[in-house]
Amino acid sequence: MAKMERFKCRAPHLAFFVLLLASLARCSSSTKKNVTIPVLAPLYNLDVDRFAYGLAAKYAMDLINNRTDILKDYHLVPRIYDTVASVTKTFYIIHDILKRRECLNESLPPAIIGPSYSTTTIAAANAVNLFYILQYTYGATSPVLDIYNSFQHLVRMYPGTSPFSNAHAALLKKFGWTRVGIVYDHHEHDGIFNKITDNLIDKLRGNNITVVGIESVDGGNNRLSNGNEEIKGRLERLKAADIKIFFAQFTFVRAYRVFCQAYKLGMFGQNYVWIVHPQVETVDKWLTAPGGRFGVASGCSEEDYRLISERMLLFKHQNFRKDGKRSISGLSIEKYRAYMDKHRAKTSRSFLTRHVHSYMFDTVWDMALTLNKSLPILKAMNSSLDKMPFRNKDLADELVKVAFATKFEGITGTVEVEKEQGRIGTLNLYQIRNKTNILVGSYHGTTGTLVLDVKNPDLWIDGRVPNDRSRHRTVLLNIPLAIYLPICTVAGLGVILAIGVLIFNTYHRNEGYIRKSAPLFNNIIILGVMMCLSTVVFFGYPVELGETNKFLLMCKLRTWILCLGFSLSFGSMFVKTWRVYKIFTNRKLKYSIDRLSNSSLIGMVIVIVVVDIFILLLWKFINPMERKMTGADVTGVRKDDAGRLLSDFLTKFMYDLGIDDGLVAVGYSNDDVSDLVRGTVPQHRVTKLAPAGAPGEEELAKLFEASMKIY
């Protein structure tokens, strides 16, 4: 009971103590100085906040205001302005910010966040520069902003053109590509792609990558002013330059026209690679462009677009880090996304999948860290964040130096800003597969490395990295050993048999029936046959591609031995036949039998052989044998076009050889077609070899009619 009384006596004292602590906390909070931070964003409606930029800025500042280690004496207050992506509205907002100092006696803000788009950012920077205010942008990417001297107090928190160009160079080096072509729109978005392309070319040349061809398409405002034939002609020039790797620097508004012509030219598939700008988007987006579905590009179907888009590559900004690390805010990615999804406006659902607000979140944190590190500098100048000096260039220069030296872990990844390039972040590499973007790798700007995703290894259609040019590989086709060896064996058996006959003929040369058959000429015939059979070895002897002398030697040996063997064999047969003819026609004995002796007739064989040697020597000195390679380039040729290509090449080959121009040249006409068909039908051993099966009479008739003239 006594204890209960003591507790009742102390209760009022405990209540008073709690109220005192709460009062002190309120007093402590009220002692914080408010610092207004203008936030410029394309909200399109303050109540909607389409991209959740305003929500992200408020969330970041709330977290910072609750920290005791960052700006502990200050309370950040966001003032949200809607630029509606308009340069005019942006100028009005900047004027309003500056007017507050004059009319409301407010201090200039220590920093301005925004705008987002390049055009509005450049407009704001040109105005803010006059008053030396630190400015942050969380979305501008224009290469114009790389000119540091023109934007000395601008901190770019969104990876711009240079990081993308570095990523492209890393991608090319990853796969060993050194030759590329570029197709760009030199008019769209006020010529922004001119500057993007120039930046890309500089980066590629710095990495020893050759830009073989560059072609532009004039965009106009809503439609291409170039006709389809002109676009086709420009793509044909790039294709003729043997370019296989292409950069497409334009938006989806141009994609449906350019890629339709590229499809018709066959510039897609396993031998081509298209590296496209992020704003090219996907096939579904192409079809929503002006004229995309029912306009001038109706010559290509949705399936055609799907085929050409297959395995296209593109880099995109990484909106959320993927390494599982917590950001400096203490939030995990899951917790941040849950908060944003819960509190962002739901009236514009088409934008709910856009998560670029993460860059706004990290931008606010970068600004807070920069200002926190700059407090000693302000103190040395007898200034504070709530009372910034007016147009102090030295202070603005110091703030920018601190901003460039600030590095931390953010929601989007490791945050590091470089003076010339802006934010050095991570870019995700995607590949379009069946009209869907698939994550296949990432480029880490801080280390300059490209890492491919092991979960999606099948980058290429046939598993082979495409070449950056046509690879001409010369292959010497030898007769397969499975055919060559049996034929040589049969020829060898023939030679052995001939040797046996030669021995038999020589041994029994004095026998009556042998002597009457002229054994000398029999032996010469056997010798010639042996020479002809031996050439089988030279016709199929395996020769390597680089062994030119050996190849020519095989050609010469088989020609000389075959010709001389033929002359000896058929020369001796001719002499024997001629002697028999003379004997049986010499009825009145007008022809001397002595002229038909072996010694006389052997001279005739020698004359035949000498004439053959003379002809071979003339051939050697007038038109000597040489090694030539002929063939058709089949690189990039579709299977459906293989037949036409082979036909055209064989026709040219026949023309170069001087083969007669069709059946007309050898005496046939269309009146002979029926006779030719009747004569061909029974030749089953030939017709059944046709790849499509034995042709019928009607097919044969068409074949003969088409063969009357070839060239």
Side-chain angles (χ1 to χ4, degrees), residues 64 136 155 157 328 360-372 402-404 406-408 415-417:
I64 293 168
Y136 284 83
V155 181
M157 295 295 297
I328 193 173
M360 168 66 87
F361 187 84
D362 281 348
T363 299
V364 174
W365 275 93
D366 189 279
M367 178 208 65
L369 294 173
T370 298
L371 296 180
N372 188 65
V402 174
F404 289 148
T406 299
K407 182 179 179 180
F408 66 95
V415 178
E416 185 176 356
V417 184

Side-chain angles (χ1 to χ4, degrees), residues 59-71 157 321 323-333 335-336 358-373 405-416 423:
Y59 187 30
M61 291 188 192
D62 287 343
L63 294 173
I64 293 168
N65 290 333
N66 290 327
R67 296 279 288 260
T68 58
D69 57 336
I70 303 175
L71 301 176
M157 295 295 297
R321 68 185 313 144
D323 54 10
K325 293 182 180 180
R326 288 182 177 271
S327 69
I328 193 173
S329 64
L331 299 177
S332 65
I333 302 301
K335 189 174 181 179
Y336 170 80
S358 56
Y359 283 93
M360 168 66 87
F361 187 84
D362 281 348
T363 299
V364 174
W365 275 93
D366 189 279
M367 178 208 65
L369 294 173
T370 298
L371 296 180
N372 188 65
K373 293 178 182 178
T406 299
K407 182 179 179 180
F408 66 95
E409 300 299 332
I411 289 292
T412 58
T414 301
V415 178
E416 185 176 356
R423 168 74 183 275

Side-chain angles (χ1 to χ4, degrees), residues 421-480:
Q421 299 186 54
R423 168 74 183 275
I424 305 174
T426 299
L427 301 176
N428 289 331
L429 176 63
Y430 292 89
Q431 189 173 58
I432 301 177
R433 300 180 187 175
N434 196 24
K435 303 195 298 181
T436 303
N437 289 344
I438 304 297
L439 180 66
V440 295
S442 57
Y443 172 76
H444 302 281
T446 53
T447 60
T449 56
L450 176 66
V451 179
L452 298 180
D453 189 352
V454 295
K455 296 180 181 178
N456 292 291
D458 301 328
L459 286 176
W460 314 116
I461 295 174
D462 57 355
R464 174 184 58 84
V465 177
N467 295 316
D468 60 3
R469 70 198 75 191
S470 297
R471 302 293 183 182
H472 299 281
R473 187 179 63 172
T474 304
V475 180
L476 185 63
L477 297 178
N478 290 306
I479 297 176

Side-chain angles (χ1 to χ4, degrees), residues 518-544:
L520 174 63
F521 295 105
N522 289 342
N523 291 340
I524 295 176
I525 291 173
I526 293 171
L527 179 62
V529 170
M530 292 171 61
M531 291 175 66
C532 291
L533 288 174
S534 67
T535 58
V536 171
V537 176
F538 304 119
F539 271 98
Y541 191 82
V543 180
E544 297 297 328

Side-chain angles (χ1 to χ4, degrees), residues 681-696:
V681 170
Q683 307 298 325
H684 297 297
R685 61 187 180 86
V686 176
T687 57
K688 288 184 177 180
L689 294 177

